[in-house]
Amino acid sequence: MGKKSEIELAVAMKVKEMREKIDLSQDDIAIILEVSRGFIGQVESPKYASKYNLNHLNTLAKYFKCSPRDFLPDDPVE
């Protein structure tokens, strides 16, 4: 099992922050993205290589009524 990069982890943590802000569960995000709940758990864990792709971020942006850019950090990640 590989690990995700710092930028991939930052994106996952931003999605998690946004979902928790409006009290959504991992199950809710899984339903929105039409993926398994286990996948969302792996995305949010630094131990797994699973990550959101651009299509996932676009779908989430539509749901959260924001830009896909809102999931990215303002500055490059080291």
Side-chain angles (χ1 to χ4, degrees):
M1 275 180 274
K3 292 184 180 181
K4 60 181 71 52
S5 69
E6 291 299 318
I7 185 80
E8 292 163 343
L9 186 57
V11 168
M13 292 303 98
K14 183 62 177 179
V15 172
K16 180 179 179 181
E17 175 188 316
M18 290 176 78
R19 79 167 173 80
E20 288 178 340
K21 190 174 187 177
I22 60 171
D23 202 29
L24 291 177
S25 67
Q26 288 182 344
D27 287 329
D28 295 325
I29 296 298
I31 291 166
I32 292 164
L33 295 179
E34 298 179 355
V35 298
S36 70
R37 187 226 178 265
F39 174 77
I40 303 302
Q42 288 181 358
V43 169
E44 292 186 1
S45 171
K47 296 179 183 179
Y48 299 94
S50 300
K51 57 192 168 279
Y52 294 120
N53 65 35
L54 293 175
N55 291 321
H56 293 145
L57 296 180
N58 190 59
T59 299
L60 290 170
K62 289 177 191 176
Y63 183 85
F64 287 113
K65 295 182 174 57
C66 67
S67 169
R69 291 183 302 234
D70 292 334
F71 300 112
L72 298 173
D74 292 330
D75 297 310
V77 177
E78 295 299 322

